[in-house]
Amino acid sequence: EPKQKEPKKEEDKKVKKEKAPKEEKKKEEKKAEDPAAAAAKEREKLVKKVIKEGGKKGVEIEGASDMGGLEFFCTTIESPDGDLELLQLAMTSMNADPEEGAEDRKGCSGHVGKMIFSAGVQQLAIVSYVPADKMAKVDITEWTENVVKAVGGKVVKTSTDAVSPKGGKVMEAVVAADPDKGKFPLKDKDAAMAAAFAFLRSKGAFPDDDDDDDEIAFGDDAFEEMGF
């Protein structure tokens, strides 16, 4: 009886040998696809993260606006990491109307003019937005160029129609990093935000800072500074 079973074992070995090269081929194909597929997956994940952060920040700005009549605001969006396309996506999310039936409110701040900043390794990305009904108060080109000049940046997209339920215009700018000249995106972000707030105050579009303290908190901390 055991002798009869032996040929079967040899057959099994043959089948296994045949399967092995095919499996190896499949593994190789998978490896070849991986880098591009992985990059696309990462980008998709990042896009979702940016939309989520933009939506959340929009709601915070909406709250500050409801409580204090805020017309303009400047803040940081971390997740784009200096990527201008992603920062523009964050701005669209901040301005979007809330989705009907959604569990969380997102966006909702299309009525508030904004300048948002994202510092990466290579550059500081800046996106500005002025809704249609605030364009007479703050000229988006003048505002953006004023900020860019303060930090040695450049406008890369001039005034264009905004993707916002409140209409208006958007602009894009970048400030390139130059470590040899002491230009770092995080440092430039603080200087750019200070210039953006200063311009708004000069137009009566943002409350004057009553403190004599020069250390003004920006970004998320600006909400705390204003008592929200």
Side-chain angles (χ1 to χ4, degrees):
E1 275 173 33
K3 277 178 187 175
Q4 285 175 343
K5 283 182 183 177
E6 271 170 25
K8 201 179 178 191
K9 272 186 186 173
E10 276 171 27
E11 274 172 36
D12 286 350
K13 275 182 190 171
K14 263 189 189 176
V15 171
K16 274 182 186 172
K17 271 183 187 173
E18 279 171 22
K19 269 187 183 175
K22 280 183 188 173
E23 278 170 18
E24 274 169 31
K25 234 184 186 182
K26 271 184 190 174
K27 274 181 189 171
E28 276 171 30
E29 276 171 26
K30 222 178 181 187
K31 267 185 191 172
E33 282 168 24
D34 273 352
K41 250 185 198 171
E42 279 305 306
R43 183 76 177 181
E44 201 180 310
K45 257 175 51 192
L46 188 54
V47 163
K48 280 180 185 171
K49 196 178 175 186
V50 169
I51 290 170
K52 191 179 178 182
E53 188 182 357
K56 188 170 175 270
K57 280 274 172 79
V59 170
E60 286 173 11
I61 291 172
E62 179 201 30
S65 168
D66 288 349
M67 288 169 74
L70 194 71
E71 292 183 297
F72 286 86
F73 200 66
C74 306
T75 193
T76 304
I77 305 288
E78 302 281 352
S79 51
D81 203 25
D83 184 310
L84 208 43
E85 188 188 338
L86 290 176
L87 191 59
Q88 185 66 260
L89 184 63
M91 179 66 88
T92 302
S93 305
M94 292 170 94
N95 292 337
D97 278 338
E99 287 174 40
E100 271 184 51
E103 254 179 68
D104 302 317
R105 278 177 74 76
K106 293 185 195 88
C108 316
S109 67
H111 59 293
V112 179
K114 289 180 281 292
M115 192 174 285
I116 57 176
F117 305 85
S118 184
V121 176
Q122 305 293 333
Q123 65 180 26
L124 169 69
I126 303 170
V127 174
S128 52
Y129 161 71
V130 177
D133 65 348
K134 308 270 190 321
M135 282 162 65
K137 192 165 197 171
V138 169
D139 181 301
I140 191 168
T141 303
E142 194 188 346
W143 186 24
T144 310
E145 283 179 352
N146 184 279
V147 171
V148 162
K149 193 179 170 191
V151 287
K154 62 176 181 182
V155 170
V156 292
K157 185 191 264 186
T158 54
S159 183
T160 313
D161 288 344
V163 181
S164 169
K166 305 293 181 190
K169 300 285 181 185
V170 286
M171 279 181 74
E172 295 176 3
V174 292
V175 187
D178 191 346
D180 294 339
K181 291 182 182 171
K183 276 186 77 58
F184 297 97
L186 275 173
K187 204 170 151 189
D188 282 335
K189 184 197 77 179
D190 291 341
M193 209 178 281
F197 274 123
F199 181 88
L200 291 175
R201 288 191 175 104
S202 76
K203 300 288 177 186
F206 193 79
D208 273 324
D209 187 25
D210 297 328
D211 288 333
D212 293 330
D213 187 359
D214 284 335
E215 283 189 56
I216 303 165
F218 298 117
D220 295 336
D221 298 332
F223 289 114
E224 289 165 30
E225 179 206 353
M226 293 163 63
F228 295 119

